[in-house]
């Protein structure tokens, strides 16, 4: 590994800062420079270098005083879905024009409290709705990765695309993401990062712009499994302001990495070998299973029979919740307002101008699913099937400790791919990540290999409720076996 | 007591069900820590949650839940250990979230019963369908600017209980009694202050009419009625209107209507076709509301004596007539006042003084019992002074008037004004002698058989003693002397 400040892991930076090899200000400056060099990616909606330097100075002071927190002096990106006090927060939507919250989300506050230095607010799909980062009002994000011998622009995935591009390129050491149906794991897979979606309830949702309340969960995007463990520890915790956050202690996730995987049972669900699954991905999956077997785990074939209903169920429940959650963007109190002759006209003008096509599509789908006469057939039925999907996992975990699957059925798309304009193709890209979200389970995407044209591919390790420790442990083993050391050509690492 | 509208096509009865919205008494709002004080400057009691800022989440106020359970217990209703908050989605400028958090399929309180004491002495049971908890909206102020509407979010998020009755009422009178009864129960419980003029209690009235014995016909809903009198007027108007529609071969349409108090009429607000599709669904920001084990029992044990029980006790313990007991228990403060007066005394006399003399004075002055110039202690003392013959009943009325004016204790007044009853035989005899001596002709007439003159003599002697002569003694001595 290189010793460039923009290429080291959090754990390594932690040591360097402690030993005084470099200061937090130096570390931050190196990353601000990297941010300047990679503006082509459009990874940030708002950059906050001055704020970052101030925070870094404070970090240096705390390090000297021996009061360093878990993320002390670490420059990170904050997905622009987290409300940040006094800093523009957009959710990548025109409708939140000019919105500067007077409050700090619990997760970002936890990170700042632990010493993290915020470099800026990262780009995303509008309201986290998308898998390409093409739905952002602030423009698409370009991945630092390229296919072999090609100059085609590649998408970083979505919705946490700005975070993925920035961490992958070496602009920040880590970034926050949020995951509703795969928005941390899929971009992590597309950009060669570790992405962790914690158990629903592990991190507070307070202050995160809501997409689908019963699914949304914040998590870390990092360049190593250890970094994910460190950062999750700083993000997580019970919050009395979020009724759905879990009142359970936060374990020492990093300590879990000391254990190996001997004796663990790893489930391979047959339903994920969907028809026409990309052969490269299928092969990588087998390789992943081999690595774990070689490390002493037992591979067990399992069945998750309701898997195929995951995507349709998700595309009823998530839009239904979103249609209601986004009702507050009405032009009355904050953000964009387009005047009209009547109140209803003002609403229509504001929301038509403020929301992009994908957001409007999902609001309409969700409104329809909740309407009188359709509610039982769609929403209620979807909730019933959601229970069956969760039940599939519960039964599977009677026999296995973790489940191994691919993270996404494809490598990253190119900007020119026709498929990125087809909602159904894109919705199906979440086929492996959605069931976990519906069941509220934790899942970790670990970079494991490459497609034939040189784009990163990830494997997903799914755990039991509130058992992030075991998936981190398995992920750590996989990371060691995969030896994924490649760096994107468009980055500064 | 049946309320019947005579029509050309026969007799019509009116069928009424009520949805009463009660503001829950609590220091803070249903899902935020903002204050709920009435009458604060606009938008000074608004948290980020109340204003529906991005990323804000509701956290249920446990005290509001307890208040709803208490109310359910007071309505003798089934308490649901598990209930679910649901979102009622609609757009309005004073509804910041774009939805109201309410309860739909699974409310916190299920079926219950309220007993009405009708004016004719009969009782009637009205079924409670359910009680659920929900958020209030803010307030739109249309009169501040010619072309703009201002929004005050102080009320936004304040906790309400909606008490839904079954369509069991059949007359405006019953509705009046029902509304007062509910108000009395929630006030006893301290779960709602019941002040309709401040909007902390308001109701939607569902009205339909039918020929006796028919199935229910289409109902209309009169929204946001904010006084008992208006509710009764609205029903009278609405029932007459519906009968007129049917009798002119029209059809009553299902719609929401509003009551215009100045004209005493109801007007159409929106029809069924224009009705919102509220797209209710369980609020994913909130877990199902599960009451802790033992909570219901705990609250049940802490429940105060409620009007019905108090009424029964007053009838048994104090031998009061049902009507008197009913009047006294409407307000707990009145009932407490009465009990303080009645304690250790003749309860019927206490009831007469409280309900007759004192309530008369208070009503005339538009005052409540808390503002009474006469304390329970002093009214009790006044009754004692009559019982131990210190003053006569007639003098007592005089003393009472002075008590009302000055707030002084009755014994002090009697002392100051020298109103103590004369029980000295010699003094009474002397007064009688003087009257008899000055009026020999009257004495003659009486002795000649004009018995009725006894009253005249009593009057004269009373006048001479300034009313202080003990009436019984006076009568006895006078009769003796006249017949000598």
């Amino acid at each position: 590994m290189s010793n460039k400040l923009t290429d080291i892991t959090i754990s390594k930076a932690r040591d360097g800062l402690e030993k005084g090899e470099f200061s937090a200000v130096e570390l931050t400056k190196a990353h601000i420079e990297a941010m300047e060099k990679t503006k082509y990616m459009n990874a940030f909606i708002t950059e906050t270098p001055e704020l970052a330097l101030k925070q870094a100075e404070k970090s240096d002071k705390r390090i000297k005083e021996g009061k360093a927190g878990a993320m002390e002096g670490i420059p990170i990106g904050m997905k622009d879905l987290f409300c940040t006090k006094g800093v523009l927060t957009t959710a990548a939507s025109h409708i939140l024009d000019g919105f500067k919250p007077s409050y700090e989300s619990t997760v970002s506050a936890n990170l700042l409290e632990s010493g993290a230095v915020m470099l800026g607010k990262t780009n995303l799909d509008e309201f986290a709705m998308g898998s390409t980062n093409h739905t952002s009002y602030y423009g698409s994000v370009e991945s630092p990765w390229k296919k072999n011998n090609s100059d085609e622009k590649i998408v970083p995935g979505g919705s946490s695309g700005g975070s993925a591009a920035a961490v992958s390129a070496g602009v920040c050491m880590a970034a926050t993401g949020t995951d509703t149906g795969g928005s941390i794991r899929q971009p992590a897979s597309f950009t060669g990062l570790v992405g962790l979606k914690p158990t629903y309830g592990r991190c507070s949702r307070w202050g995160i712009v809501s997409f689908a309340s019963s699914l949304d969960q914040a998590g870390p995007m990092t360049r190593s499994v250890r970094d994910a463990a460190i950062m999750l520890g700083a993000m997580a915790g019970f919050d009395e302001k979020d009724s759905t956050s879990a009142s359970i202690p936060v374990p020492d996730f990093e300590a879990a990495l000391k254990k190996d995987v001997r004796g663990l049972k790893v489930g391979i669900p047959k339903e994920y070998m969907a028809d026409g699954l990309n052969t490269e991905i299928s092969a990588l999956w087998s390789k992943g299973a081999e690595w774990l077997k070689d490390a002493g785990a037992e591979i067990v074939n399992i069945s998750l029979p309701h898997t195929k209903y995951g995507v349709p169920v998700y595309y009823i429940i998530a839009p239904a919740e979103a249609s209601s959650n986004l009702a507050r963007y009405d032009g009355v109190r904050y953000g964009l307002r387009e005047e009209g002759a009547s109140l209803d006209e003002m609403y229509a003008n504001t929301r038509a101008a403020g929301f992009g096509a994908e957001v409007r599509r999902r609001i309409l789908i969700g409104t329809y699913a909740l309407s009188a006469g359709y509610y039982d057939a769609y929403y209620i039925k979807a909730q019933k099937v959601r229970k069956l999907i969760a039940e599939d996992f519960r039964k599977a975990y009677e026999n296995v400790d973790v489940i191994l699957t691919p993270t996404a059925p494809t490598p990253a798309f190119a900007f020119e791919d026709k498929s990125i304009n087809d909602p159904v193709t894109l919705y199906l890209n979440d086929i492996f990540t959605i069931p976990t979200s519906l069941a509220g389970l934790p899942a970790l995407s670990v970079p494991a290999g490459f497609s034939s044209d040189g784009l990163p591919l990830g494997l997903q390790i799914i755990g039991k409720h509130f058992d992030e420790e075991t998936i981190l442990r398995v992920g750590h083993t996989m990371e060691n076996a995969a030896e994924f050391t490649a760096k994107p050509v468009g980055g500064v690492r | 007591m049946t309320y019947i509208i005579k029509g050309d096509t026969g007799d019509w009865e009116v069928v009424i069900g009520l949805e009463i919205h009660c503001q829950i008494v609590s220091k803070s709002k249903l899902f935020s820590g903002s204050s709920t004080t009435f009458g604060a400057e606009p938008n000074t009691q608004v948290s980020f949650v109340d204003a529906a800022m991005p990323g804000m989440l509701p956290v249920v106020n446990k005290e509001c839940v307890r208040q709803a359970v208490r109310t359910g217990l007071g309505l003798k209703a089934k308490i649901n250990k598990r209930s679910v908050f649901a979102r009622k989605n609609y757009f309005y400028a004073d509804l910041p979230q774009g939805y109201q958090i309410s309860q739909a399929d699974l409310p916190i309180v299920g079926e219950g019963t309220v007993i009405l004491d009708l004016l004719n002495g009969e009782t009637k049971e009205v079924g409670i369908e359910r009680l659920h908890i929900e958020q209030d909206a803010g307030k739109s102020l249309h009169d501040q600017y010619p072309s703009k509407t201002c929004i005050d979010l102080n009320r936004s998020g304040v906790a309400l209980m909606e008490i839904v009755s079954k369509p069991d009422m059949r007359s405006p009178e019953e509705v009046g009694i029902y509304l007062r009864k509910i108000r009395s129960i929630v006030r006893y419980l301290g779960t709602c202050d019941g002040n309709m003029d401040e909007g902390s209690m308001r109701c939607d009235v569902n009205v339909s009419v039918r020929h006796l014995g028919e199935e229910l016909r289409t109902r209309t809903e009169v929204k946001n009625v904010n006084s008992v009198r208006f509710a009764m007027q609205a029903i009278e108007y609405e029932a007459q209107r519906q009968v007129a529609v049917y009798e002119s071969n029209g059809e009553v349409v299902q719609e929401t209507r509003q009551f215009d108090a100045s004209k005493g009429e109801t007007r159409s607000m929106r029809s069924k076709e224009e009705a919102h599709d509220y797209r209710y669904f369980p609020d994913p920001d909130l877990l199902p509301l599960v009451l802790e084990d033992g909570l219901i029992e705990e609250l049940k044990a802490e429940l105060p004596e409620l009007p019905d029980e108090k009424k029964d006790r007053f009838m048994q313990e104090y031998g009061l007539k049902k009507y008197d007991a009913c009047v006294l228990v409407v307000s707990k403060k009145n009932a407490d006042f009465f009990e303080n007066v009645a304690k250790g005394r003749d309860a019927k006399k206490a009831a007469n003084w409280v309900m007759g003399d004192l309530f008369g004075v208070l009503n005339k002055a538009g005052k409540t019992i808390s503002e009474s110039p006469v304390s329970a202690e002093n009214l009790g003392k006044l009754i004692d002074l009559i019982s131990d013959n210190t003053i006569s009943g007639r003098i007592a009325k005089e003393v009472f008037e002075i008590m009302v004016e000055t707030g002084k204790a009755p014994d002090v007044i009697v002392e100051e004004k020298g109103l103590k009853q004369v029980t000295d035989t010699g003094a009474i005899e002397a007064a009688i002698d003087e009257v008899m001596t000055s009026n020999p002709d009257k004495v003659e007439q009486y002795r000649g058989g004009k018995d009725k003159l006894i009253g005249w003599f009593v009057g004269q002697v009373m006048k001479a003693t300034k009313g202080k002569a003990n009436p019984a003694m006076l009568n006895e001595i006078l009769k003796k002397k006249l017949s000598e």
Side-chain angles (χ1 to χ4, degrees):
Chain A
M1 255 196 180
S2 96
N3 283 317
K4 271 174 88 176
L5 289 183
T6 49
D7 192 33
I8 53 176
T9 57
I10 295 174
S11 51
K12 203 163 176 193
R14 187 175 57 186
D15 297 343
L17 286 166
E18 202 187 310
K19 289 179 190 153
E21 287 167 10
F22 47 84
S23 69
V25 169
E26 282 166 347
L27 191 60
T28 298
K29 277 185 175 161
H31 285 88
I32 292 170
E33 244 172 69
M35 191 155 73
E36 293 299 321
K37 284 184 196 154
T38 54
K39 283 206 185 282
Y40 76 94
M41 296 195 301
N42 194 29
F44 287 86
I45 291 173
T46 305
E47 297 174 348
T48 56
E50 295 90 356
L51 194 67
L53 281 170
K54 270 186 205 157
Q55 289 173 335
E57 281 166 24
K58 284 183 192 158
S59 281
D60 280 330
K61 206 170 154 230
R62 279 195 294 267
I63 292 165
K64 268 186 200 136
E65 291 166 351
K67 290 180 188 164
M71 294 286 287
E72 200 66 62
I74 305 298
I76 62 165
M78 193 69 72
K79 186 176 182 179
D80 202 14
L81 203 62
F82 292 80
C83 290
T84 43
K85 196 171 179 177
V87 177
L88 184 70
T89 298
T90 68
S93 181
H94 186 31
I95 206 148
L96 274 168
D97 263 13
F99 175 62
K100 284 185 184 170
S102 332
Y103 48 90
E104 187 76 37
S105 83
T106 300
V107 164
S108 56
N110 288 348
L111 283 167
L112 296 175
E113 182 70 21
S114 73
V117 169
M118 188 179 86
L119 289 170
K121 306 292 294 286
T122 57
N123 206 341
L124 65 150
D125 281 299
E126 185 179 2
F127 281 103
M129 296 176 187
S131 0
T132 58
N133 224 303
H134 271 43
T135 71
S136 169
Y137 175 72
Y138 294 91
S140 303
V141 174
E142 189 182 332
S143 171
W145 290 88
K146 297 281 184 200
K147 287 182 190 170
N148 297 332
N149 311 313
S150 158
D151 203 35
E152 258 188 309
K153 287 183 182 179
I154 302 296
V155 306
S159 65
S160 312
S163 290
V167 178
S168 172
V171 177
C172 29
M173 304 191 68
T176 56
T178 61
D179 190 314
T180 305
S183 281
I184 287 175
R185 293 162 285 166
Q186 184 253 25
S189 176
F190 280 13
T191 56
L193 294 181
V194 174
L196 173 56
K197 182 202 93 79
T199 311
Y200 182 78
R202 178 64 91 182
C203 292
S204 168
R205 294 185 297 111
W206 192 87
I208 302 174
V209 174
S210 299
F211 163 12
S213 307
S214 75
L215 296 155
D216 295 346
Q217 187 58 206
M221 302 178 79
T222 58
R223 292 196 295 262
S224 78
V225 173
R226 182 173 299 278
D227 287 3
I230 296 169
M231 188 166 168
L232 177 62
M235 295 169 74
F238 171 65
D239 180 5
E240 60 181 19
K241 290 184 290 192
D242 174 3
S243 310
T244 62
S245 97
S247 179
I248 55 167
V250 178
D252 182 348
F253 295 114
E254 199 181 353
L257 305 184
K258 288 176 189 152
K259 294 187 201 159
D260 58 32
V261 300
R262 273 178 295 177
L264 284 184
K265 289 183 178 174
V266 178
I268 306 289
K270 64 176 184 199
E271 289 78 8
Y272 283 54
M273 298 170 196
D275 292 341
L277 174 62
N278 180 319
T279 50
E280 288 170 3
I281 286 168
S282 179
L284 182 70
W285 187 11
S286 303
K287 210 196 237 175
E290 278 306 309
W291 288 330
L292 295 178
K293 198 176 163 189
D294 292 346
E298 188 189 332
I299 304 300
V300 181
N301 287 318
I302 59 163
S303 171
L304 299 168
H306 296 92
T307 298
K308 65 177 170 188
Y309 302 115
V311 171
V313 162
Y314 176 87
Y315 276 98
I316 289 166
I317 291 172
E321 292 181 8
S323 71
S324 178
N325 280 340
L326 271 57
R328 65 187 56 198
Y329 307 108
D330 57 5
V332 175
R333 297 168 313 287
Y334 47 79
L336 183 74
R337 177 189 292 183
E338 293 288 334
E339 298 294 348
S342 65
L343 180 64
D344 284 345
E345 222 179 281
M346 188 278 279
Y347 285 151
N349 293 345
T350 300
R351 289 167 66 86
F355 292 134
E358 183 59 26
V359 172
R360 289 205 301 270
R361 176 172 15 251
R362 297 204 196 187
I363 289 174
L364 287 174
I365 292 172
T367 304
Y368 185 83
L370 291 175
S371 296
Y374 300 99
Y375 179 71
D376 290 346
Y378 291 105
Y379 185 80
I380 293 288
K381 196 164 212 170
Q383 288 292 9
K384 285 181 184 162
V385 180
R386 180 178 185 176
K387 282 206 180 92
L388 294 175
I389 290 169
E391 189 59 16
D392 281 356
F393 281 104
R394 198 193 59 74
K395 282 185 189 148
Y397 282 129
E398 287 173 1
N399 300 312
V400 300
D401 299 296
V402 295
I403 293 167
L404 180 70
T405 76
T407 304
T410 64
F413 310 104
F415 273 43
E416 302 306 316
D417 284 350
K418 279 184 210 138
S419 55
I420 70 167
N421 297 316
D422 174 31
V424 176
T425 306
L426 293 180
Y427 293 176
L428 285 170
N429 205 245
D430 293 336
I431 190 161
F432 299 142
T433 47
I434 275 176
T436 328
S437 296
L438 290 170
L441 297 168
L444 179 72
S445 179
V446 178
F450 294 91
S451 66
S452 56
D453 47 11
L455 291 176
L457 296 173
L459 288 177
Q460 174 178 236
I461 303 153
I462 306 166
K464 296 176 182 174
H465 278 114
F466 297 105
D467 190 13
E468 286 85 356
E469 286 164 285
T470 305
I471 56 172
L472 284 163
R473 187 173 141 197
V474 175
H476 191 53
T477 301
M478 177 111 72
E479 182 179 50
N480 289 333
E483 294 179 323
F484 187 98
T485 52
K487 295 166 195 177
V489 294
V492 291
R493 284 162 61 190
Chain B
M1 193 100 354
T2 15
Y3 182 81
I4 291 294
I5 296 171
K6 299 267 176 207
D8 299 336
T9 57
D11 287 356
W12 296 83
E13 81 169 346
V14 55
V15 178
I16 311 140
L18 248 60
E19 293 160 24
I20 306 180
H21 303 261
C22 296
Q23 182 179 329
I24 293 176
V25 171
S26 66
K27 288 201 183 76
S28 50
K29 295 182 180 179
L30 182 52
F31 296 111
S32 82
S34 308
S35 165
T36 56
T37 318
F38 177 79
E41 282 295 301
N43 295 312
T44 55
Q45 300 183 345
V46 188
S47 72
F48 296 134
V49 175
D50 308 324
M53 301 304 279
M56 292 299 98
L57 299 172
V59 175
V60 72
N61 176 343
K62 285 185 182 163
E63 182 52 24
C64 295
V65 173
R66 294 165 74 95
Q67 291 287 56
V69 173
R70 285 185 189 109
T71 310
L73 291 169
L75 298 172
K76 313 267 183 283
K78 181 177 177 288
I79 309 298
N80 295 324
K81 274 197 90 168
R82 184 178 179 277
S83 61
V84 171
F85 287 109
R87 293 186 185 176
K88 179 180 182 178
N89 293 283
Y90 65 96
F91 283 96
Y92 200 65
D94 57 23
L95 187 75
Q97 294 165 142
Y99 54 84
Q100 175 194 35
I101 305 178
S102 180
Q103 296 190 303
D105 296 341
L106 295 165
I108 188 164
V109 176
E111 294 190 334
T113 312
V114 170
I115 296 164
L116 307 187
D117 293 296
L118 304 179
L119 293 178
N120 63 4
E122 288 173 12
T123 55
K124 174 178 176 131
E125 283 192 3
V126 173
I128 297 296
E129 179 73 34
R130 59 185 281 162
L131 174 154
H132 65 255
I133 320 174
E134 62 187 21
Q135 297 176 299
D136 205 348
K139 210 163 110 189
S140 294
L141 310 165
H142 300 291
D143 53 358
Q144 310 285 307
Y145 297 96
S147 63
K148 284 192 169 113
T149 297
C150 294
I151 308 292
D152 176 8
L153 294 179
N154 282 354
R155 286 190 71 94
S156 169
V158 164
L160 303 176
M161 307 179 272
E162 181 172 328
I163 303 170
V164 183
S165 83
K166 301 198 173 201
D168 286 351
M169 285 163 274
R170 296 290 178 271
S171 69
E173 180 214 325
E174 288 178 12
V175 169
I177 294 171
Y178 171 78
L179 268 169
R180 290 192 179 98
K181 185 64 179 270
I182 294 285
R183 186 166 64 186
S184 168
I185 291 172
V186 294
R187 281 178 170 168
Y188 265 68
L189 291 165
T191 57
C192 169
D193 66 25
N195 294 336
M196 294 189 85
D197 49 350
E198 284 180 4
S200 51
M201 187 170 153
R202 44 193 202 266
C203 67
D204 301 338
V205 188
N206 289 287
V207 185
S208 66
V209 296
R210 65 177 173 188
H211 285 304
L212 294 168
E214 270 184 1
E215 290 294 300
L216 290 176
R217 295 196 181 202
T218 307
R219 65 187 164 83
T220 58
E221 182 177 13
V222 186
K223 282 274 184 196
N224 265 325
V225 184
N226 64 357
S227 91
V228 176
R229 194 162 54 88
F230 292 163
M232 294 168 72
Q233 284 175 3
I235 292 161
E236 274 175 48
Y237 178 88
E238 191 51 24
Q240 294 286 354
R241 186 190 70 82
Q242 290 184 15
V243 166
V245 169
Y246 286 126
E247 298 217 320
S248 55
N249 290 321
E251 277 300 319
V252 169
V253 285
Q254 189 176 335
E255 61 181 356
T256 28
R257 300 177 69 84
Q258 64 187 40
F259 179 68
D260 181 338
S262 60
K263 290 186 181 151
E265 14 174 279
T266 66
R267 267 199 307 271
S268 180
M269 275 169 78
R270 54 175 184 260
S271 70
K272 198 180 171 186
E273 288 72 35
E274 300 164 59
H276 295 116
D277 178 355
Y278 290 119
R279 291 169 281 126
Y280 279 101
F281 76 111
D283 192 321
D285 285 334
L286 292 160
L287 301 172
L289 180 61
V290 179
L291 303 181
E292 303 149 41
D293 282 331
L295 178 73
I296 299 171
E297 292 70 24
E298 180 198 323
L299 295 177
K300 204 174 209 168
E302 288 172 3
L303 229 49
E305 184 185 39
L306 291 170
D308 285 342
E309 286 90 65
K310 204 181 274 292
K311 177 190 75 189
D312 290 345
R313 184 168 63 79
F314 277 14
M315 287 165 68
Q316 278 185 4
E317 204 172 311
Y318 299 113
L320 295 187
K321 281 182 284 183
K322 186 176 169 189
Y323 175 81
D324 292 352
C326 283
V327 170
L328 282 171
V329 304
V330 164
S331 130
K332 184 168 180 296
K333 282 187 179 148
N334 286 354
D336 288 348
F337 191 98
F338 160 74
E339 283 216 270
N340 285 333
V341 177
K343 215 174 288 164
R345 302 189 175 97
D346 182 330
K348 281 179 193 164
K349 280 191 180 137
N352 285 341
W353 275 102
V354 172
M355 293 173 60
D357 303 87
L358 183 64
F359 285 3
V361 165
L362 294 178
N363 282 343
K364 214 168 161 187
K367 285 182 175 169
T368 67
I369 196 81
S370 328
E371 303 159 312
S372 169
V374 179
S375 69
E377 192 196 347
N378 283 343
L379 189 55
K381 271 190 201 162
L382 181 66
I383 296 171
D384 291 342
L385 291 176
I386 306 166
S387 309
D388 67 12
N389 284 327
T390 307
I391 55 172
S392 67
R394 206 174 66 79
I395 291 289
K397 301 276 175 192
E398 220 174 280
V399 174
F400 179 76
E401 272 174 36
I402 301 169
M403 288 166 76
V404 169
E405 275 167 36
T406 65
K408 282 185 185 168
D411 45 346
V412 173
I413 295 167
V414 168
E415 196 62 41
E416 279 177 4
K417 306 255 169 186
L419 295 173
K420 211 164 173 189
Q421 188 162 244
V422 178
T423 49
D424 170 2
T425 324
I428 296 173
E429 276 182 0
I432 293 172
D433 287 345
E434 195 174 333
V435 171
M436 284 173 68
T437 316
S438 330
N439 300 284
D441 49 333
K442 293 278 196 301
V443 175
E444 210 51 47
Q445 286 171 22
Y446 178 87
R447 289 184 175 150
K450 231 175 163 187
D451 290 0
K452 282 180 184 166
L453 273 173
I454 185 87
W456 181 84
F457 280 106
V458 170
Q460 290 302 306
V461 178
M462 276 293 183
K463 205 170 165 186
T465 59
K466 293 187 180 137
K468 291 182 289 185
N470 178 300
M473 289 171 72
L474 165 60
N475 264 311
E476 197 191 317
I477 301 169
L478 184 64
K479 272 186 189 157
K480 212 168 97 193
K481 286 203 179 254
L482 282 171
S483 49
E484 265 168 7

